[in-house]
Amino acid sequence: DTGVSQNPRHKITKRGQNVTFRCDPISEHNRLYWYRQTLGQGPEFLTYFQNEAQLEKSRLLSDRFSAERPKGSFSTLEIQRTEQGDSAMYLCASSLPTFYTFGSGTRLTVV
Amino acid sequence: KQEVTQIPAALSVPEGENLVLNCSFTDSAIYNLQWFRQDPGKGLTSLLLIQSSQREQTSGRLNASLDKSSGRSTLYIAASQPGDSATYLCAVPSGSARQLTFGSGTQLTVLP
């Protein structure tokens, strides 16, 4: 278990399609976060899990977005009815408790 | 609401120079501050974590300082190399989830 793993690395999808990303955190880390990063900006917080409980959601997380972390292990982030504005890098991080380790991200392009 | 600012937005230096990247934050009640490196199209790599009780932290050619009272941190890179070219981001945890609030980063180019 060498770090945070994210899949896929890249995703190209047509507008209106649904996409799902996966994050496998460091196993000892009970905190898991999703962030979104657009070009030239720092990452912005989307949502937070402690174990399997989703405890915090950003206003950026519209109702087209949903995240899960079943059994407090891996997490998935789903975007329904994708829009061109959803094109971004989606980053997952886990922490113990405030030292963060980030994954390599999933680059989403909506065409 | 915590806000983080990084200056300059971009920096280009010749190889071998020592340089300083700046980070400021508006709410001084922080747990810690973390510096990250991001290569183009890649995720974030943690460089240094400074706890709120610390003044500085060193790793190799990198030295980060923290002045909570003034809401500032600096990342000092000694003897810069072309391999140091990347975007450097600072971030502080805030909110009930201790989610990170990031600056927009400083894009560093070290010219051979």
Side-chain angles (χ1 to χ4, degrees):
Chain A
D1 196 353
T2 58
V4 178
S5 176
Q6 289 190 248
N7 288 289
R9 293 294 307 277
H10 303 276
K11 179 71 177 179
I12 300 174
T13 190
K14 292 184 178 179
R15 190 174 54 185
Q17 297 295 305
N18 300 343
V19 294
T20 300
F21 311 139
R22 177 178 170 127
C23 171
D24 288 272
I26 294 173
S27 56
E28 311 89 78
H29 291 185
N30 61 354
R31 294 174 175 241
L32 185 147
Y33 300 81
W34 285 97
Y35 290 82
R36 182 175 72 184
Q37 185 179 26
T38 53
L39 199 62
Q41 300 298 315
E44 295 175 291
F45 169 71
L46 291 178
T47 190
Y48 159 64
F49 289 85
Q50 184 159 342
N51 300 312
E52 67 275 12
Q54 188 175 18
L55 299 182
E56 190 86 16
K57 294 182 190 180
S58 160
R59 285 172 295 176
L60 293 175
L61 209 68
S62 76
D63 56 7
R64 297 185 296 105
F65 288 68
S66 63
E68 294 182 342
R69 191 183 183 193
K71 301 180 182 179
S73 56
F74 70 92
S75 177
T76 58
L77 178 67
E78 180 184 17
I79 308 175
Q80 296 182 328
R81 306 180 302 282
T82 53
E83 302 173 356
Q84 286 189 320
D86 296 331
S87 295
M89 174 79 87
Y90 290 84
L91 294 161
C92 175
S94 63
S95 75
L96 180 73
T98 53
F99 180 80
Y100 283 74
T101 302
F102 278 82
S104 298
T106 295
R107 167 74 65 187
L108 173 66
T109 302
V110 181
V111 298
Chain B
K1 177 189 172 187
Q2 180 73 270
E3 293 182 2
V4 180
T5 303
Q6 290 188 247
I7 295 173
L11 181 63
S12 183
V13 300
E15 182 176 4
E17 273 205 6
N18 303 325
L19 57 100
V20 174
L21 308 181
N22 297 294
C23 170
S24 62
F25 45 93
T26 54
D27 184 349
S28 62
I30 61 170
Y31 301 103
N32 57 47
L33 183 144
Q34 200 163 353
W35 282 93
F36 294 90
R37 168 184 172 139
Q38 187 173 34
D39 292 292
K42 306 291 186 182
L44 277 64
T45 301
S46 180
L47 297 174
L48 289 164
L49 171 73
I50 313 178
Q51 299 293 348
S52 60
S53 57
Q54 294 177 312
R55 282 282 190 168
E56 62 180 56
Q57 191 70 249
T58 298
S59 175
R61 294 182 294 107
L62 305 180
N63 175 276
S65 67
L66 176 63
D67 184 342
K68 276 184 57 176
S69 61
S70 66
R72 293 181 183 179
S73 176
T74 61
L75 179 67
Y76 175 83
I77 303 177
S80 58
Q81 303 171 358
D84 295 331
S85 298
T87 296
Y88 291 80
L89 295 148
C90 68
V92 293
S94 59
S96 57
R98 299 191 185 181
Q99 65 268 28
L100 291 177
T101 300
F102 284 85
S104 295
T106 294
Q107 185 175 356
L108 173 66
T109 303
V110 181
L111 303 170

